[in-house]
Amino acid sequence: ASKGVKSGSSGINAEYGKPIELNSTTHIYFFLDPSTSISHAHNTHTHIRLGRMDSKVSITKLIFVLFVVLGLVIPSHSFMTTVDATKEECFYEDIPQGAPVNVMFQVISGGFLDIDLRIQAPDQRIIYEGTRESEGKYTFNTYSAGVYSFCFSNRMSTLTPKVVSFLITVDGGVRRDIAKKADFTPLEASINQLSEAISAVVAEQEYMRLREMAHRNTSESTNARVMWWSIFEALMLVAMSVWQVYYLRRFFEVKRVA
Amino acid sequence: MKASSLIYITALIALIPQCFASYFEISGGIQKCFLEEVPKDTLITGKYKVEDLNEVANINANSRLGLTVKVLDPEFNMIMDRSYPPEGRFAFTTQSGGEHQICVSTNASRWFGPTVKARIHLDIASGVAAVDYEEIAKQEHLGILEVAVRRLNDRVAAIRKEQSYQRGREVSFRNTSESTNARVMWWSALQVVVLLASGVFQMRHLKSFFKAKKLV
């Protein structure tokens, strides 16, 4: 039975993938293309474009809401933690297959500002092994789903604990493609652009903050070292000169007895 | 139409990985500390889940491990020390700017049985990332664009706050550097003086010593 289609209007209620019978020979199959939000109807003879669907929850609004709520947030885990001397701290992530993983780390303070990093796949294969690096950035694609381990090792140091700041990002790349194709109003597009720009500013600010922290720690450590070294050296000098005097005295006194 | 939009909602949500994807393992009463350097009046939230790795062996349901969270402010005062159930979230607002330490540990130590070994899923967010905009949108009945603009405003305000905090830190950094510089200069001068003085002392003392011993 006909669904009350008027020519030229788009008042069809249809279900995804189910055929609408317009007349005995023409069937229309309803599809929704999320990339353009324009719905297409195919049949065996002609390709009919029905135009933009105007429903309460359109796909563009949906994607927009998701982006607003998630803020184009790429799932990431960032921590700043202390790795004690001769110890190893491991962090584990459950990552699906084929996802691009980005690891960034910086040693903020401690000793020579170096640390070892080892990334292992679920089958114990070592994906990356870096020794004595003070900062690094590494990207890889997961070849299998499972638990990947990221281990920071301070085994090379016997005394000094190291403070490491790291960021593990698992990029859900598919969402970016949807963002480019979706049809936003100029206002929504502007807001998305603003959001991306602000994310870039925040990322840069974060990096600078970590650099400043590292420099400040170095400077404070230099200051403390200068003070202690100066006191030590002054005491050593005085002690040396007193010892020299008494040694020479003793030297001459002994000689006179003999 | 509603069915198809539902399909796409689920598809898009499925693209988001699980919330608790990152974890680490601790044993016994050892605590693990995470540092967060944030300006004043920043909201920090943590979402966690504690899994007891010994649970397979221990069928006793009462021994569910909780989480003890201790927070130290930049002056190492304890501003928070609370125990939490095995799964949930915690939150606090910083009273001063600087490096805060968030230390977590499992609160149970068994009187009998094997040492406690736990797997903790943890996610710490600070500032704007810690705010739940869905909740705000519901409570204040905001539209989509309004939530987006509110979020952008909050993020820009957070950037400004961070910038003024960094400005303050740079001042203290500069003071430290200048004090180091001055110290190096004064101590070097002092060392030259001490060297000369000890040389003079040595010569005079030895000279009088030799004169007294009638060697000179």
Side-chain angles (χ1 to χ4, degrees):
Chain A
S2 164
K3 287 278 183 177
V5 177
K6 291 183 219 158
S7 62
S9 83
S10 60
I12 305 175
N13 268 346
E15 276 189 67
Y16 179 77
K18 292 243 163 73
I20 311 164
E21 195 184 306
L22 287 185
N23 56 38
S24 57
T25 55
T26 314
H27 287 93
I28 301 181
Y29 288 85
F30 218 77
F31 295 91
L32 188 64
D33 185 349
S35 62
T36 60
S37 85
I38 295 174
S39 48
H40 300 261
H42 299 266
N43 67 1
T44 50
H45 304 291
T46 53
H47 181 129
I48 306 167
R49 232 174 103 155
L50 289 173
R52 209 167 157 153
M53 286 309 291
D54 200 12
S55 67
K56 252 189 178 166
V57 186
S58 76
I59 286 297
T60 51
K61 283 273 182 298
L62 199 76
I63 296 169
F64 186 67
V65 164
L66 268 167
F67 277 121
V68 158
V69 162
L70 301 172
L72 277 174
V73 165
I74 299 160
S76 67
H77 297 271
S78 97
F79 291 115
M80 180 154 59
T81 182
T82 309
V83 184
D84 289 326
T86 69
K87 294 244 172 41
E88 185 178 40
E89 301 284 353
C90 286
F91 293 85
Y92 306 91
E93 282 255 6
D94 198 355
I95 310 176
Q97 190 189 9
V101 179
N102 193 21
V103 182
M104 288 184 281
F105 72 95
Q106 272 193 53
V107 183
I108 305 295
S109 72
F112 289 107
L113 298 179
D114 54 357
I115 204 154
D116 302 336
L117 167 64
R118 192 179 71 245
I119 306 178
Q120 266 180 305
D123 57 0
Q124 303 309 314
R125 204 183 75 149
I126 295 178
I127 294 178
Y128 175 74
E129 185 147 29
T131 40
R132 307 191 85 115
E133 295 178 338
S134 70
E135 85 168 39
K137 185 172 167 163
Y138 187 69
T139 313
F140 66 96
N141 281 310
T142 54
Y143 55 83
S144 65
V147 174
Y148 285 75
S149 74
F150 303 84
C151 292
F152 292 94
S153 164
N154 195 18
R155 295 227 167 90
M156 91 282 282
S157 157
T158 44
L159 279 179
T160 39
K162 308 254 165 74
V163 177
V164 181
S165 168
F166 63 97
L167 173 69
I168 301 170
T169 308
V170 179
D171 193 4
V174 188
R175 265 186 277 154
R176 290 184 171 251
D177 295 336
I178 295 178
K180 284 193 189 106
K181 285 183 197 166
D183 205 9
F184 292 121
T185 65
L187 187 57
E188 291 163 358
S190 290
I191 289 185
N192 272 339
Q193 221 176 340
L194 260 176
S195 190
E196 273 193 40
I198 287 184
S199 294
V201 170
V202 169
E204 189 70 26
Q205 200 179 43
E206 181 79 16
Y207 175 74
M208 288 312 294
R209 183 169 68 80
L210 291 174
R211 294 313 301 156
E212 189 270 336
M213 202 189 305
H215 291 321
R216 189 175 7 110
N217 285 335
T218 305
S219 173
E220 281 175 0
S221 136
T222 307
N223 197 357
R225 281 181 188 176
V226 162
M227 187 187 74
W228 288 116
W229 168 251
S230 306
I231 293 173
F232 171 74
E233 196 177 345
L235 286 172
M236 278 301 294
L237 269 173
V238 169
M240 275 271 295
S241 64
V242 166
W243 175 82
Q244 277 175 345
V245 163
Y246 279 108
Y247 183 76
L248 278 173
R249 279 177 66 142
R250 222 169 45 125
F251 182 69
F252 279 106
E253 270 166 9
V254 165
K255 206 176 175 195
R256 206 166 71 92
V257 166
Chain B
M1 190 52 219
K2 277 183 190 162
S4 62
S5 61
L6 237 122
I7 290 170
Y8 286 108
I9 297 172
T10 19
L12 282 165
I13 290 176
L15 288 172
I16 305 167
Q18 277 181 312
C19 294
F20 293 116
S22 176
Y23 64 85
F24 54 92
E25 294 175 358
I26 61 175
S27 52
I30 299 174
Q31 71 178 8
K32 195 119 168 195
C33 290
F34 297 94
L35 308 169
E36 287 286 331
E37 171 145 18
V38 286
K40 204 172 117 163
D41 299 325
T42 308
L43 174 69
I44 299 183
T45 59
K47 206 160 153 190
Y48 69 90
K49 184 167 109 166
V50 183
E51 268 181 59
D52 189 351
L53 291 178
N54 296 124
E55 219 164 51
V56 181
N58 193 351
I59 318 165
N60 185 6
N62 291 335
S63 67
R64 291 212 60 198
L65 295 177
L67 192 78
T68 308
V69 179
K70 294 194 172 103
V71 179
L72 295 162
D73 75 357
E75 274 92 50
F76 301 105
N77 305 321
M78 182 108 50
I79 58 174
M80 187 168 106
D81 182 359
R82 286 174 62 176
S83 288
Y84 289 94
E87 184 168 351
R89 35 180 4 147
F90 60 88
F92 65 95
T93 308
T94 57
Q95 303 300 318
S96 57
E99 201 172 82
H100 291 74
Q101 278 174 299
I102 302 163
C103 297
V104 297
S105 56
T106 50
N107 62 356
S109 56
R110 288 197 239 278
W111 295 106
F112 52 89
T115 346
V116 171
K117 234 185 131 188
R119 179 178 288 180
I120 300 184
H121 302 250
L122 186 62
D123 211 346
I124 299 177
S126 60
V128 177
V131 179
D132 190 359
Y133 282 94
E134 283 180 30
E135 195 59 42
I136 291 180
K138 264 183 230 155
Q139 276 183 358
E140 300 183 19
H141 306 289
L142 297 176
I144 299 166
L145 276 180
E146 286 155 5
V147 168
V149 171
R150 168 79 65 92
R151 194 162 180 280
L152 278 174
N153 261 331
D154 287 347
R155 289 170 88 189
V156 172
I159 290 174
R160 287 295 295 130
K161 195 157 82 163
E162 181 84 25
Q163 277 181 330
S164 58
Y165 172 67
Q166 283 302 322
R167 199 186 265 258
R169 295 242 66 130
E170 193 271 336
V171 166
S172 79
F173 181 26
R174 194 177 0 122
N175 289 339
T176 307
S177 294
E178 284 179 357
S179 130
T180 307
N181 200 358
R183 277 185 187 180
V184 166
M185 187 189 74
W186 283 116
W187 278 109
S188 304
L190 191 63
Q191 269 168 34
V192 170
V193 167
V194 166
L195 255 177
L196 285 172
S198 72
V200 165
F201 158 73
Q202 280 180 337
M203 286 303 114
R204 280 177 57 179
H205 187 92
L206 283 172
K207 203 165 158 184
S208 64
F209 172 68
F210 288 147
K211 274 194 182 148
K213 304 295 176 189
K214 301 203 176 49
L215 293 168
V216 175

